Amino acid sequence: MATAYAAARTKPKTTPIIGVRAISQAQRAFALAFTGQDQAIEEIDLAHQLLTGLVLRVTRATVRLARSLAGRP
């Protein structure tokens, strides 16, 4: 499942839809929070970077939940 989110994250580079990369990355981080905590932290950090300047409240909540699931405050 995390692989599918990674593919969705890279595909929008060719489409002009703002926020799709951030949303896909947040979902990837959330999925990895259940399986690989070390990798999830890296993915969470990337999600935060992609969310910079965007107003996507639910996506930000997904990233916060992923951080909690990964055992980080």
Side-chain angles (χ1 to χ4, degrees):
M1 179 178 260
T3 305
Y5 288 124
R9 178 192 67 207
T10 56
K11 183 180 178 184
K13 290 180 182 178
T14 60
T15 50
I17 301 172
I18 296 173
V20 173
R21 289 183 67 204
I23 293 167
S24 298
Q25 182 60 33
Q27 294 300 324
R28 176 174 167 75
F30 182 77
L32 288 172
F34 288 98
T35 59
Q37 292 181 345
D38 292 333
Q39 186 180 5
I41 296 303
E42 293 174 19
E43 300 296 334
I44 289 165
D45 291 340
L46 179 55
H48 278 294
Q49 290 174 13
L50 292 174
L51 282 166
T52 300
L54 300 176
V55 180
L56 298 170
R57 291 184 201 142
V58 173
T59 303
R60 288 186 188 278
T62 300
V63 174
R64 284 193 303 271
L65 184 55
R67 184 175 292 282
S68 295
L69 289 169
R72 300 295 173 132

